[in-house]
């Protein structure tokens, strides 16, 4: 590792996590911030506020924002019920999907996404490919991304409000959960994930899943030692073996997605006039004071 790489930090932003969080924080009280063109902007406004607050807090030299590209991914091909419990996006949010990417582009940083994959997969791919040359941070509200934690990858989880974060490292995660970050995948294989709508092993919850993974390390270790489990645990796993293996595949973030990404294009060095012009066009007020006083150079 060179001295130069120590000074280079890459912030990967989970765009959908920030946008949805911002939208629902204000839409619950009907504050959609509809501008003179009739376009709601509450989600984008909150996204920018989260984004700029994180920039000023963590001061990355490079930034990229990753997005889901449609609702269907390779996981739906493996399991048709994957995320089938999700309701359609509210009508006020739909025009903000394109608008938020326009605002990100005004900062001259890349919007990244690939049809058939989730933002998490793009984030995982870039993070793993960049960790030898950069200190990588992932900004999200989604705990699933904690499986990507590594010595050079930390996860910044948004907390309530703006500027409140829980910053996770492999050590802090182990202290908290008693497992390694990668073992999240095995825990979710057992317990499933109601928010993503896959069941895991019927009748096994988080407490039992954690205990089994702590004891046997991974799904394969559990299967190899079924005779050591309680009769009830053994029966449940044997009856749901196919779903156990499938759930593990669904839970794992892919880190080899065929995306093109340039570190040069992700240098955080924006043109203030260009950004302010975009803010004026969208009719944002009060966000200009959050812009960094000077551009952060690589």
């Amino acid at each position: 590792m060179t001295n130069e790489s120590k000074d280079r930090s890459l912030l990967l932003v989970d765009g959908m996590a920030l946008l949805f969080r911002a939208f629902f924080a204000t839409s619950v009280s009907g504050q959609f911030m509809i501008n003179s063109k009739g376009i709601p902007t509450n989600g984008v406004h909150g996204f920018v506020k989260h984004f700029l607050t994180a920039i000023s807090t963590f001061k990355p030299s490079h930034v990229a924002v990753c997005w889901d590209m449609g609702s269907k991914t390779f996981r739906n091909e493996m399991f048709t019920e994957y995320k089938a419990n999700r309701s359609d996006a509210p009508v006020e949010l739909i025009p903000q999907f394109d608008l938020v990417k326009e605002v990100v582009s005004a900062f001259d940083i890349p919007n990244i996404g690939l049809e058939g994959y989730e933002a998490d997969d793009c984030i995982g791919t870039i993070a793993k490919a960049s960790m030898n040359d950069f200190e990588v941070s992932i900004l999200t509200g989604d705990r699933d991304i904690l499986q990507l934690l590594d010595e050079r990858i930390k996860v910044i989880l948004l907390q309530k409000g703006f500027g409140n974060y829980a910053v996770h490292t492999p050590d802090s995660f182990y202290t908290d959960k008693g497992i390694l970050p990668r073992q999240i995948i095995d825990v979710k294989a057992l317990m499933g994930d109601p928010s993503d709508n896959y069941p895991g092993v019927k009748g096994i919850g988080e407490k039992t899943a954690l205990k089994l993974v702590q004891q046997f390390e991974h799904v394969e270790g559990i299967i190899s030692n079924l005779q050591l489990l309680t009769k009830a645990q053994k029966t449940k796993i044997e009856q749901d073996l196919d779903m156990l293996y499938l759930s593990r595949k669904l839970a794992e973030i892919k880190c080899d997605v065929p995306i093109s990404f340039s570190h040069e294009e992700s240098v955080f060095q924006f043109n203030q006039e260009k950004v302010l012009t975009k803010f004026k066009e969208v009719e944002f007020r009060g966000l200009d004071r959050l812009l960094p006083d000077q551009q952060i150079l690589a």
Side-chain angles (χ1 to χ4, degrees), residues 61-79:
S61 61
H62 294 64
V63 184
V65 185
C66 295
W67 302 96
D68 294 333
M69 303 293 283
S71 58
K72 298 295 180 192
T73 70
F74 73 94
R75 292 181 180 86
N76 297 99
E77 292 172 17
M78 288 198 285
F79 183 55

Side-chain angles (χ1 to χ4, degrees), residues 20-298:
F20 273 78
R21 189 183 197 87
F23 176 84
F24 286 110
T26 49
S27 67
V28 69
S29 55
Q31 297 173 312
F32 295 113
M33 297 174 64
I34 296 168
N35 65 18
S36 64
K37 301 179 186 74
I39 299 170
T41 61
N42 64 316
V44 184
H45 186 278
F47 171 95
V48 174
K49 199 171 170 186
H50 277 304
F51 174 76
L52 290 176
T53 303
I55 293 287
S56 69
T57 303
F58 299 101
K59 298 179 171 52
S61 61
H62 294 64
V63 184
V65 185
C66 295
W67 302 96
D68 294 333
M69 303 293 283
S71 58
K72 298 295 180 192
T73 70
F74 73 94
R75 292 181 180 86
N76 297 99
E77 292 172 17
M78 288 198 285
F79 183 55
T80 55
E81 295 301 303
Y82 182 74
K83 291 191 177 180
N85 55 339
R86 302 279 177 101
S87 53
D88 292 338
V91 290
E92 296 88 357
L93 181 57
I94 291 169
Q96 300 190 58
F97 291 136
D98 288 335
L99 184 60
V100 70
K101 290 174 189 170
E102 289 176 24
V103 173
V104 168
S105 293
F107 283 93
D108 293 319
I109 56 175
N111 286 298
I112 294 166
L114 186 63
E115 208 167 307
Y117 297 93
E118 295 180 43
D120 290 6
D121 302 312
C122 297
I123 288 170
T125 299
I126 297 168
K128 294 295 184 184
S130 304
M131 61 186 278
N132 290 334
D133 299 309
F134 290 84
E135 291 286 349
V136 180
S137 299
I138 302 167
L139 179 65
T140 184
D142 181 3
R143 299 186 67 85
D144 289 350
I145 285 183
L146 290 169
Q147 67 180 262
L148 297 174
L149 284 168
D150 212 314
E151 288 309 311
R152 303 259 296 166
I153 301 172
K154 66 184 176 189
V155 173
I156 303 163
L157 284 178
L158 296 166
Q159 304 296 290
K160 196 170 183 181
F162 291 91
N164 300 316
Y165 310 101
V167 181
H168 290 272
T169 63
D171 287 345
S172 70
F173 179 80
Y174 186 83
T175 301
D176 184 34
K177 290 289 187 184
I179 58 171
L180 301 173
R182 290 262 328 147
Q183 291 176 299
I184 291 175
I185 304 164
D186 297 282
V187 170
K188 290 187 71 178
L190 287 158
M191 64 179 277
D193 186 336
S195 68
D196 286 342
N197 203 43
Y198 59 88
V201 175
K202 195 174 180 182
I204 290 188
E206 182 177 12
K207 193 175 174 183
T208 301
L210 262 173
K211 188 179 169 187
L212 290 174
V213 172
Q214 285 167 346
Q215 189 174 354
F216 300 108
E217 293 189 24
H218 39 59
V219 165
E220 291 78 9
I222 295 166
I223 300 302
S224 300
N225 291 282
L226 283 177
Q227 73 280 4
L228 301 178
L229 274 51
T230 67
K231 189 178 178 183
Q233 289 169 352
K234 182 173 182 285
T235 302
K236 287 170 185 172
I237 290 171
E238 285 177 336
Q239 286 177 345
D240 257 344
L241 211 50
D242 288 346
M243 186 51 74
L244 173 64
Y245 285 122
L246 177 57
S247 293
R248 195 186 188 288
K249 286 180 184 175
L250 295 171
E252 184 172 17
I253 292 172
K254 272 186 79 67
C255 294
D256 58 355
V257 172
I259 49 172
S260 58
F261 173 71
S262 161
H263 289 119
E264 284 179 28
E265 290 174 11
S266 67
V267 172
F268 190 67
Q269 187 179 2
F270 64 92
N271 179 313
Q272 185 153 313
E273 190 178 332
K274 183 177 177 181
V275 170
L276 290 174
T277 300
K278 191 66 185 178
F279 284 2
K280 188 176 180 183
E281 178 195 318
V282 181
E283 299 173 27
F284 283 159
R285 292 180 187 85
L287 289 180
D288 51 330
R289 62 186 169 79
L290 294 177
L291 291 172
D293 291 332
Q294 58 186 30
Q295 291 86 321
I296 303 164
L297 302 178

